Amino acid sequence: MPAIALHPLTIRICHWLNAIAVFLMVTSGWRIYNASPIFNFTFPKAMTIGGWLGGGILWHFAAMWLFGINALIYIGVNLYSGRLRHKFFPIRPQQLWADINDALHLKLQHTDLSHYNAVQKCAYLSVMVAIAIAIGSGLVIWNSSQFPLLRELMGGFDNARIVHFFAMVFMVGFVLIHLVMVALVPVTLKSMGFSRPRLFKSVSLKSKSLEV
Ligand code: HEM
C-alpha cells in the first residue's frame, strides 16, 4: 500500500495556526471582557493574556489577522479543491443519529481515518460556522458604523457583543470535546501532524480521492 498523507499539508498548517490563533483570541478576549463584563462574572486573571485592557486589545487585534486570514485560506482551499464537499458531506440524518447514539455509549468507531463520521462532520462544520460568526460579530464590535448590514444581522451593537460571547463559548466547548475525542483515538493526532506519511501505511483507505 503506498504511503499517503491523510490531510493535505495546507490543511494541516491551517489547523495548527488556527489552534494558536484561537488560544490567543480567547484568552485576550477574556481580558477585554473582564474590563466590562456582560454577565455577572469575570474570567480568572491567570487565564487571560495582555495583563490589562490595553494589552488584551493589542493581543486580540494582532491575533485577529492570523485568525481571519488563516480562516479564509482554510475555507478557500477546501472550497476550491472540492474537499469541503467530499470530506464533510453528505450528512445523513439516520447516520448522524446512529453515530450520536454510539458516541453517547462510547462505542463510536473511527477505524477508517480517511473518513469523518457524521458526528465529526457536524462538529467540524458547526465550528467553522461559529468561527465565521465570531469574525462577523467581532467586526461589528470593532467598527459598527463600517458594517451596517452585519450590525443589523447581529441585532445591533449590544447584541453583537452577546453573539460574539456565545460564538466563543461554542468554540471553547468544541475544543474541550475535540481534545477528549483526540485523546480517545490518539492516532488521529499523527494524521494531523507533520511526520512522514509512512505512519499511515497500515491505515485502510477506501477513498481514492484522498490520495493527495
Ligand atoms: C491543541 C489543540 C488541538 C488538537 C490536539 C487538535 C487535533 C485534531 C486532530 C487530531 C484532528 C484530525 C481528526 C481526525 O482525523 O479524525 C483535527 C481536526 C480538526 N480540528 Fe483540531 N485540534 C486542536 C485544536 C482545534 C481548534 C482550536 C479548532 C477550531 C476551533 C479545531 C478544529 C478542527 C477541525 C475543523 C478539524 C477538521 C479539519 C479538516 O479535516 O479540515 N481544532 N484536530
Side-chain angles (χ1 to χ4, degrees):
M1 186 181 291
I4 65 157
L6 288 179
H7 302 291
L9 181 63
T10 332
I11 297 299
R12 282 177 280 151
I13 294 174
C14 284
H15 175 267
W16 293 115
L17 287 179
N18 179 62
I20 296 169
V22 166
F23 172 79
L24 296 175
M25 293 302 285
V26 168
T27 50
S28 59
W30 287 349
R31 188 67 202 81
I32 300 169
Y33 167 95
N34 280 355
S36 168
I38 321 176
F39 302 108
N40 206 10
F41 66 89
T42 55
F43 295 94
K45 201 173 174 199
M47 288 168 68
T48 67
I49 59 168
W52 65 297
L53 173 62
I57 291 176
L58 284 179
W59 272 105
H60 210 64
F61 280 12
M64 168 189 89
W65 293 103
L66 176 64
F67 188 51
I69 293 171
N70 188 58
L72 283 178
I73 294 174
Y74 172 82
I75 212 70
V77 168
N78 266 307
L79 282 173
Y80 182 74
S81 64
R83 185 176 180 272
L84 191 82
R85 189 173 40 80
H86 84 238
K87 193 86 182 164
F88 299 97
F89 293 97
I91 303 176
R92 296 193 177 84
Q94 286 117 315
Q95 192 57 53
L96 179 62
W97 185 239
D99 284 355
I100 290 175
N101 246 320
D102 285 351
L104 291 176
H105 292 93
L106 298 178
K107 282 193 300 194
L108 187 58
Q109 296 290 318
H110 189 30
T111 42
D112 178 1
L113 296 183
S114 65
H115 284 101
Y116 288 142
N117 57 52
V119 171
Q120 280 182 297
K121 288 178 186 176
C122 258
Y124 295 155
L125 286 170
S126 328
V127 82
M128 289 177 210
V129 173
I131 288 174
I133 293 176
I135 293 175
S137 52
L139 289 174
V140 173
I141 298 168
W142 170 48
N143 200 332
S144 77
S145 58
Q146 295 228 0
F147 302 98
L149 184 63
L150 261 183
R151 190 185 59 224
E152 291 317 305
L153 274 174
M154 299 289 157
F157 175 83
D158 289 335
N159 221 40
R161 271 196 83 191
I162 295 172
V163 172
H164 201 61
F165 184 90
F166 282 105
M168 175 281 291
V169 170
F170 187 92
M171 272 193 282
V172 172
F174 164 87
V175 172
L176 293 178
I177 296 172
H178 190 48
L179 292 180
V180 172
M181 300 314 269
V182 173
L184 289 175
V185 193
V187 70
T188 57
L189 199 51
K190 291 182 181 166
S191 74
M192 203 33 105
F194 299 99
S195 37
R196 298 225 164 260
R198 65 187 156 72
L199 285 166
F200 308 108
K201 274 183 176 170
S202 59
V203 169
S204 81
L205 288 166
K206 292 178 190 148
S207 166
K208 269 191 187 168
S209 53
L210 278 155
E211 291 176 17
V212 286

